[in-house]
Amino acid sequence: MAAGMVGLGSTDTAAASFRGVASSGLPQSSVKPDPSKSTFKVAAVQAEPVWFDMDKTVEKTIALMATAAQNGADIIAFPETWLPGYPSFMWFGDKAYRAPFIKRYLNASPVAGGPQHRELEKAAKRLKIHVVLGLSERKGNRMYMGMWVIDDKGKTILKRRKAKPSGREWDIFTSGDGDDFTVVPSKVGRIGALSCNENRRPLARDAMYTQNEQIHVAAWPHFGLLPDVWQMSAITSMESSAQYAGEGGVLTLAPSTIATAPYIASLNLSAADRASLLPGGGSTRIFLPSGEPVSDGPDLAPDVEGIVYATVDRATVVHEQTGYDAKPFKIPANGKRP
């Protein structure tokens, strides 16, 4: 999560760097949206992970997937680094304080292709649901702020990594390559996903929009962290999600995490830091391509676990950019017309 955003260049060359093929080398599917469905039901999670426990969080993930599937959802979205939870501890204390937490967190972070990954794929196939999952992806002794998209056949169709971890995130996470701002086809439309402040970066948004993105997941952590920093607030982050939806004409799911008092107490924060990590912090929303919020039921309170659902017309999700709108929009390096 961002206490500040690092600028990225605005030249044609910089923009092009955001339009690479996924570095995972995954083959591009030719799957088309299901023509037999007149509506799609989407789901966004607001819940607390089992902090520092990979296997129990995988169990909870599958339980939430099952609940969503039983309620008719076609796709479910999870928060930023849901597995094994957003590492709030990294914003506090000195290196000696953070060291034992970092070790636990590394050991609880899943590996691409590992048993937990395969278990999630099998569950998606069994439940016939698409899954967009935020996670801390481990590779050796490095961690990345990853996102996986798994389709309803149990196939991981996208693996990506946050290009620029923000603020204190840099202390434990490695930057992604920045060449995986990729949209993938599925039976529910063309899916894309960005992590936290990536949703605020103009070049990243443009890279997704120009691939005719139709369902977007804007994954957020919990908003009880540093409550006095306005740009890290639920209000600002949901405004960013609504902006993404309306600007790109994309159905946008914005899942978030909650943190309870027992977890916060387990961090053994100093008296000075306790006011900087508050319980609750959930603010999950879904936004129509117009930017309007939409839900099949009432909003969840910030401290309540649950799933937000929205049933939307197929035509609202599946659309093509045609004519004038389909032409790439380019800004010259000097900002002037040639």
Side-chain angles (χ1 to χ4, degrees):
M1 194 169 184
M5 291 187 291
V6 178
L8 297 168
S10 58
T11 66
D12 287 347
T13 300
S17 71
F18 279 80
R19 299 195 178 110
V21 177
S23 61
S24 60
L26 293 168
Q28 293 297 297
S29 170
S30 59
V31 159
K32 302 292 185 183
D34 187 348
S36 68
K37 296 181 71 73
S38 60
T39 62
F40 291 114
K41 191 168 186 177
V42 299
V45 167
Q46 177 172 300
E48 183 176 44
V50 184
W51 303 97
F52 300 105
D53 194 317
M54 175 167 47
D55 291 331
K56 288 185 178 179
T57 302
V58 167
E59 289 179 12
K60 186 166 186 175
T61 304
I62 293 172
L64 288 164
M65 290 164 56
T67 298
Q70 289 165 8
N71 284 310
D74 298 288
I75 182 171
I76 183 171
F78 288 86
E80 181 181 47
T81 57
W82 160 259
L83 182 62
Y86 186 82
S88 315
F89 61 83
M90 67 190 166
W91 293 88
F92 303 106
D94 56 17
K95 289 184 178 180
Y97 165 80
R98 294 192 294 271
F101 290 112
I102 292 172
K103 182 177 180 180
R104 290 176 63 194
Y105 197 79
L106 176 67
N107 290 335
S109 297
V111 175
Q116 292 81 14
H117 184 187
R118 297 303 179 221
E119 188 176 355
L120 290 163
E121 289 180 320
K122 290 176 183 177
K125 181 178 181 179
R126 182 176 70 254
L127 297 168
K128 299 179 181 179
I129 191 169
H130 296 73
V131 183
V132 183
L133 181 71
L135 67 145
S136 168
E137 180 193 342
R138 178 176 180 172
K139 186 173 183 180
N141 288 323
R142 291 187 175 186
M143 292 181 286
Y144 299 86
M145 304 182 83
M147 301 187 81
W148 295 342
V149 179
I150 304 172
D151 69 13
D152 63 344
K153 302 296 185 184
K155 178 182 178 182
T156 299
I157 57 176
L158 176 65
K159 291 183 290 185
R160 68 171 308 269
R161 296 166 173 171
K162 190 174 184 178
K164 278 186 171 290
S166 307
R168 297 289 285 271
E169 292 173 357
W170 286 353
D171 291 346
I172 68 171
F173 289 111
T174 301
S175 296
D177 291 335
D179 62 353
D180 52 8
F181 290 85
T182 304
V183 174
V184 291
S186 77
K187 288 169 63 177
V188 293
R190 296 179 58 80
I191 302 172
L194 296 177
S195 187
C196 197
N197 78 327
E198 289 183 321
N199 294 283
R200 297 174 176 149
R201 296 183 182 277
L203 293 179
R205 297 200 309 267
D206 179 68
M208 306 295 276
Y209 298 158
T210 55
Q211 297 175 70
N212 190 34
E213 187 181 24
Q214 296 167 339
I215 297 180
H216 178 70
V217 174
W220 303 95
H222 60 94
F223 298 110
L225 176 64
L226 304 181
D228 293 331
V229 180
W230 186 251
Q231 69 201 92
M232 294 177 70
S233 69
I235 292 175
T236 301
S237 300
M238 291 305 108
E239 285 176 345
S240 296
S241 301
Q243 167 72 11
Y244 192 106
E247 180 181 74
V250 181
L251 180 68
T252 298
L253 285 61
S256 61
T257 296
I258 66 171
T260 57
Y263 163 67
I264 295 172
S266 75
L267 297 179
N268 299 314
L269 296 173
S270 69
D273 285 336
R274 286 172 196 155
S276 296
L277 185 59
L278 304 180
S283 186
T284 294
R285 298 289 187 276
I286 298 172
F287 298 94
L288 290 170
S290 61
E292 300 169 271
V294 61
S295 174
D296 290 351
D299 292 337
L300 297 172
D303 59 349
V304 173
E305 285 200 339
I307 301 174
V308 176
Y309 298 93
T311 304
V312 295
D313 290 339
R314 183 180 188 278
T316 301
V317 179
V318 181
H319 57 83
E320 297 291 335
Q321 297 284 1
T322 59
Y324 177 81
D325 287 338
K327 296 179 180 178
F329 180 74
K330 294 184 178 180
I331 299 176
N334 61 5
K336 298 180 181 179
R337 293 185 180 183

